[in-house]
Amino acid sequence: RFGHSTQGLSQGAAVLPGPALERAEELLERGQSRYTIYCAVCHGASGYGNGPVSVRADELVEGGKAQWVPPTSYHDEERRARPLGHIFNTITNGIRTMPAYGDQIPPADRWAIVAYVKALMRSQNATLADVADAEVRDELLKKKK
């Protein structure tokens, strides 16, 4: 959810800080750009954990040449339920074998990535109710029949 909260990480921020609502499209575009640079190589373009680094590491494991902890998919219920602050903290400080990016990615860009990851999560689990335009919904219903 986008809004004007400045909740801290210790509270598990549920909304993005700052005037994100007015700039949602810009924020998501920036998040996609930064995600592509920093995250997609492991997590994949759609967030399923199948980026090129992950694919190559899986090949090495199968050949008995390496140990590998694969990146998680964003699309299970547990990950989708995580608050925004948890994702921000993971990007900042790392988790398990994922390195910390706090020194490389400025906070505003980390929040943009969080927004984009949440959009990815929603896009892969969207329902007809998520389509705001009634005409588009009706057209999709026709195609479904």
Side-chain angles (χ1 to χ4, degrees), residues 28-134:
L28 289 174
E29 287 174 0
R30 180 69 179 183
Q32 180 181 28
S33 167
R34 303 297 92 178
Y35 177 89
T36 300
I37 292 167
Y38 293 103
C39 312
V41 295
C42 288
H43 290 282
S46 298
Y48 284 99
N50 60 350
V53 169
S54 182
V55 170
R56 179 64 178 138
D58 286 342
E59 291 168 359
L60 292 173
V61 168
E62 288 174 11
K65 298 178 183 174
Q67 291 185 341
W68 171 246
V69 177
T72 59
S73 169
Y74 304 141
H75 303 298
D76 65 35
E77 192 61 40
E78 179 184 346
R79 302 305 174 298
R80 285 194 310 266
R82 287 189 174 152
L84 301 176
H86 181 90
I87 299 168
F88 183 89
N89 186 58
T90 298
I91 296 167
T92 303
N93 299 306
I95 192 168
R96 291 180 295 283
T97 58
M98 180 183 143
Y101 286 93
D103 290 339
Q104 296 175 37
I105 306 172
D109 283 349
R110 281 181 262 151
W111 282 117
I113 292 169
V114 169
Y116 183 70
V117 166
K118 281 296 195 177
L120 274 179
M121 290 173 170
R122 187 155 187 183
S123 74
Q124 301 301 301
N125 296 283
T127 66
L128 203 51
D130 292 318
V131 179
D133 187 314

